[in-house]
Amino acid sequence: MSRRGCRVRAVLTGLVAWASLVTGAGGTTAWAGPETGRGLPEPGALALGAPAEVAPGVGYREFSLKGGHGPAHGHLLTVNLREKRVSVDLLYPGVVGARESVSRLADRRGAVGGVNGDFFNIAEEQHPGVDATGAPVGPAVAGGRALKSAVPDGQRFGPAMPRGVTTEDVLAVGSDRVARLDRLRFEGVLRSGGDELELSGFNQYALPVGGVGAYTPDWGAASRLRATCGTDTDRGAPCSRTTLEVTVRNGRVAAVSRKPGKGAIPKGSVVLLGRDGGARDLGQLEVGDRVEVSKRLRSRESGAVRFALGGFPILRDGRALGGLDATTAAVRTAAGVGDHGRRLYLLALDGRAAYRPGLTLAELAATLRKLGAVDAFNLDGGGSSTLVTRGSGGRAAVRNHPSGGAERAVPNGIGIFVK
């Protein structure tokens, strides 16, 4: 295998390292109009409904306010992480490239509450004949196990991000049960016959130009063709004409194909997909070659990550991020962190089906700060915005009014669990 353009990231041990690791590195509101104070519109009174207990340590209430585009009505879950019986984990359909409603995801896991999560590969109008994967944009960690890494910034779906933010940014909860804003960077290496090749993706719907990605059974049955479309700066750019897919089974190359495939990946196997220069590098492999693969997500903050999903920060240390949109109103879902990471606020607005225009990102950040958050993280909104709690019958009930009049299937969400 060619060493050209490759950087060695780790010394690999074991024939094939399938386990993905996550490690640490060290009434109404009258908006003031112009941004003031900490870069946010200065809110007045926030009308809060009566609180109700969902479960020990988990509360629910409604709220209302008036944004710059009209009245907004929202739904809020407050989660006390100091309560030892309470935990947070990823809701997802069991594989990365699939979608399901938040209520079904919550019911399947027995969550007492939850909201939808990351933006995702929802459509492919710019690439006729290419199926959308439904996979999320950013990294995902469930139960301490890494499921995927982030697509290039230019390949993401969703509104413009604030300055200094990347698709690697996550909302996370560590093994210490403390919530935080973090960043998860993928590190992976392929080794064969003494040569090493740096991997540039892991179970993601878009690979960097010239890169090689690893796909495991956690990816699911979705087609991998989409991963070779677009560029690092243009999501709608044509698909690559130079691709190569190598299937590794039990540590040896089992098959080689010029086209990206689809269908479930068997346990004990990994599919390596290269585009452009990455395809040429993979072309050095032949059936029967011994291959070692190592991969992990490295946390910018200290401490192992138990749960994480993508989106983007809008509030950090009580201050709005630079370049935060203060003009465009939309239906939003977001998460806030307070009490030194021991309190989580999950918020979803009523959708346009309820004749609510929503809030700008600046207004959303100000609202979360008013509710008690010091840090805040924007999640997928619009027709995806959904907040559920466990109803009296033991099943999840949708508390907000989704924009489409019904829940949208989504790839993941934040689940709240109580023992």
Side-chain angles (χ1 to χ4, degrees):
M1 180 186 301
S2 171
R3 294 174 178 265
R4 184 178 53 195
C6 303
R7 301 196 304 274
V8 177
R9 289 286 190 181
V11 177
L12 307 178
T13 59
L15 182 60
V16 180
W18 299 125
S20 300
L21 304 179
V22 184
T23 60
T28 59
T29 298
W31 298 107
E35 292 186 354
T36 59
R38 297 180 177 179
L40 297 174
E42 187 62 34
L46 183 68
L48 295 171
E53 184 181 73
V54 176
V58 183
Y60 164 78
R61 70 198 311 173
E62 299 181 41
F63 66 89
S64 61
L65 53 87
K66 185 177 180 181
H69 294 261
H73 189 265
H75 303 257
L76 178 70
L77 282 174
T78 304
V79 184
N80 181 9
L81 294 176
R82 294 185 185 276
E83 169 58 64
K84 293 183 179 180
R85 290 175 291 177
V86 174
S87 62
V88 180
D89 205 357
L90 190 75
L91 298 177
Y92 75 108
V95 294
V96 170
R99 297 193 291 155
E100 204 165 355
S101 69
V102 176
S103 61
R104 289 189 177 184
L105 293 174
D107 282 341
R108 178 182 296 176
R109 288 287 308 278
V112 301
V115 296
N116 65 287
D118 199 357
F119 301 89
F120 61 96
N121 177 209
I122 190 171
E124 283 299 327
E125 289 91 349
Q126 295 165 310
H127 303 115
V130 176
D131 294 333
T133 64
V137 169
V141 178
R145 184 167 63 91
L147 297 177
K148 69 175 300 291
S149 55
V151 302
D153 288 353
Q155 290 268 19
R156 65 181 293 274
F157 289 77
M161 297 187 294
R163 291 193 294 271
V165 172
T166 82
T167 54
E168 294 177 345
D169 282 287
V170 295
L171 172 73
V173 176
S175 57
D176 58 0
R177 298 170 44 78
V178 175
R180 70 196 196 216
L181 302 184
D182 205 340
R183 184 169 289 180
L184 296 179
R185 172 158 297 181
F186 174 66
E187 296 179 352
V189 179
L190 180 158
R191 182 179 179 181
S192 181
D195 291 330
E196 292 177 337
L197 174 67
E198 181 182 3
L199 299 177
S200 54
F202 167 44
N203 286 343
Q204 58 197 60
Y205 69 78
L207 292 172
V209 173
V212 175
Y215 293 80
T216 70
D218 282 328
W219 170 252
S223 170
R224 296 176 290 276
L225 176 59
R226 174 59 186 85
T228 65
C229 301
T231 67
D232 300 357
T233 58
D234 182 4
R235 193 181 72 206
C239 301
S240 173
R241 294 184 178 181
T242 304
T243 63
L244 191 72
E245 189 169 272
V246 174
T247 300
V248 178
R249 187 174 300 121
N250 298 324
R252 290 188 181 274
V253 175
V256 178
S257 174
R258 293 291 174 184
K259 295 182 179 180
K262 61 181 179 180
I265 298 170
K267 185 178 180 180
S269 297
V270 65
V271 172
L272 303 170
L273 175 59
R275 57 174 300 184
D276 313 300
R280 289 188 285 273
D281 284 336
L282 283 183
Q284 303 299 315
L285 292 174
E286 297 180 352
V287 172
D289 285 353
R290 184 178 291 272
V291 174
E292 300 172 353
V293 175
S294 176
K295 57 191 182 301
R296 68 175 176 178
L297 296 179
R298 178 176 288 276
S299 170
R300 183 177 61 180
E301 305 297 329
S302 61
V305 175
R306 175 73 180 172
F307 149 83
L309 86 173
F312 57 84
I314 55 176
L315 186 70
R316 184 177 280 124
D317 297 328
R319 294 183 177 273
L321 273 69
L324 202 63
D325 183 4
T327 302
T328 307
V331 179
R332 311 284 185 182
T333 301
V337 178
D339 187 21
H340 305 286
R342 296 295 189 174
R343 188 168 296 271
L344 192 61
Y345 303 89
L346 302 181
L347 174 158
L349 298 180
D350 278 339
R352 297 187 184 277
Y355 305 103
R356 307 290 185 179
L359 298 173
T360 69
L361 287 173
E363 291 170 343
L364 180 67
T367 300
L368 281 158
R369 190 179 69 185
K370 187 71 173 180
L371 290 168
V374 175
D375 300 320
F377 199 74
N378 185 56
L379 300 167
D380 191 12
S384 297
S385 286
T386 309
L387 184 147
V388 303
T389 63
R390 182 183 292 173
S392 57
R395 299 184 66 83
V398 179
R399 304 305 293 260
N400 70 319
H401 297 82
S403 289
E407 288 184 84
R408 171 186 285 170
V410 296
N412 61 24
I414 303 172
I416 308 302
F417 302 88
V418 177
K419 294 180 181 178

